[in-house]
Structures are given as C-alpha cells and as structure tokens.
Amino acid sequence: MSRPQASARRLPARRPADKRDITAVAELIEEIERFYESTEIQPFKERRAQVEEALFGSPPLASALLVEDEAGDIVGLAAYSLLWPSAGSTHSLFLKELYVRDTLRRQGVGARLMGELRAVAAARSGCSRVEWMTDRDNPGARAFYKSLGFEEFEGKIVYRVLTSSA
C-alpha cells in the first residue's frame, strides 16, 4: 500500500499593491529600515503619505508586488520602477527593494518574487532587463541572488547625492 504524498507547502499569496495596502506598506517600510539598522525612522504619518504618493500619485513613481500571509498580513514586498532609456532605447525594470519578513525567509518567497518581476518585465513591450543592487557587505543577499543563478555585474559604480532631508 502506498503512502499519501505530503502536500506541497503553499506559498503566500503575491499580488500588486493597491490603495488598501498603504498603511501596511508604510509599516513594513519601518521594519525594513530597522532591518538595515537605520537610526532615523521617519514618523509614520510622513512615511504613509510618501507610500501613497509613490505608489498611487499622478503619475505613480513606483510599483510594488506584495506578499500576504494566510491571515492577510503583508509580510514582504518587491518595490520597483521602470527606467528609460536603457540599452538600445528600451527601458528596464529596476528593483529597489526586495524584502521578506524573517518568519518566511528561506521558503521560496523571495525566489518567487524575483520570478514574478522577470515576468512583469517580459510582459512589458520594450523592457529589456531587470536590474538591482545590493550592498557589497550583505553576504546573505549576495548568496541569495547567486543561488538563483544571477551573476554579479561589476561594470557600474554607484553615485549618490542627497537633495534634501526629506
């Protein structure tokens, strides 16, 4: 007699952010800031207003794929923007933030988000690539991307200048 196969673990639901998510995304961004050991956490009201403007302003500045757990709580996100021009005057999808709460890490959620971002880019006419950055001193993120088969690109140097305190 054969034994029943163990059911595959169901990965949390992923979906694009919508306006009902503004508060939850603002809360998750505070968690991200703490994860990166930021010493200056923006007041919640300001952070919430920035999330609303970035994701739902006219025009929106960014998009986000969210991960929901079984209770409907937002437990991860992939925040991205489209950039133009890119190679050959095409555009690229730039991943700004990939974050999954520690309770769901190493369970395939980040890998699925990366796959969905590639699908978003592929479905968009004229989008030639997906790009992102990680800190050189973040071995966990570097190992994660390497495990997905992505190679580090050494061809760019990142510059940054602050324009305001906001």
Side-chain angles (χ1 to χ4, degrees):
M1 175 168 215
S2 65
R3 294 190 321 192
Q5 291 183 344
S7 62
R9 182 158 194 239
R10 188 174 155 262
L11 290 175
R14 291 150 326 280
R15 61 175 175 75
D18 62 40
K19 285 191 174 189
R20 67 186 161 106
D21 299 313
I22 293 169
T23 297
V25 170
E27 290 168 351
L28 191 64
I29 288 173
E30 180 174 343
E31 183 176 322
I32 293 167
E33 292 293 327
R34 293 188 189 287
F35 175 81
Y36 287 116
E37 300 177 353
S38 177
T39 57
E40 296 180 28
I41 305 297
Q42 183 181 35
F44 179 77
K45 187 174 181 179
E46 290 176 21
R47 190 171 55 254
R48 188 186 184 291
Q50 284 186 342
V51 167
E52 184 171 14
E53 180 182 359
L55 296 179
F56 306 105
S58 181
L61 303 174
S63 298
L65 292 175
L66 303 179
V67 177
E68 272 184 353
D69 65 12
E70 291 179 0
D73 294 327
I74 305 300
V75 295
L77 89 145
Y80 64 94
S81 297
L82 295 170
L83 303 177
W84 178 87
S86 189
S89 297
T90 63
H91 58 277
S92 63
L93 185 151
F94 184 81
L95 171 64
K96 176 58 178 112
E97 189 69 53
L98 179 70
Y99 183 79
V100 177
R101 283 198 171 140
D102 60 353
T103 56
L104 291 174
R105 287 190 197 131
R106 291 178 258 317
Q107 296 181 28
V109 176
R112 291 278 299 267
L113 280 170
M114 289 301 294
E116 289 185 30
L117 287 171
R118 290 177 81 180
V120 167
R124 189 165 171 99
S125 178
C127 189
S128 62
R129 60 189 176 209
V130 178
E131 298 179 295
W132 64 96
M133 296 182 289
T134 192
D135 293 326
R136 292 188 188 281
D137 63 352
N138 188 342
R142 293 173 77 182
F144 167 71
Y145 295 126
K146 185 176 182 178
S147 77
L148 297 177
F150 302 128
E151 294 183 27
E152 291 184 2
F153 180 77
E154 297 293 335
K156 302 281 183 187
I157 297 172
V158 177
Y159 294 89
R160 176 180 296 155
V161 61
L162 300 177
T163 60
S164 70
S165 61

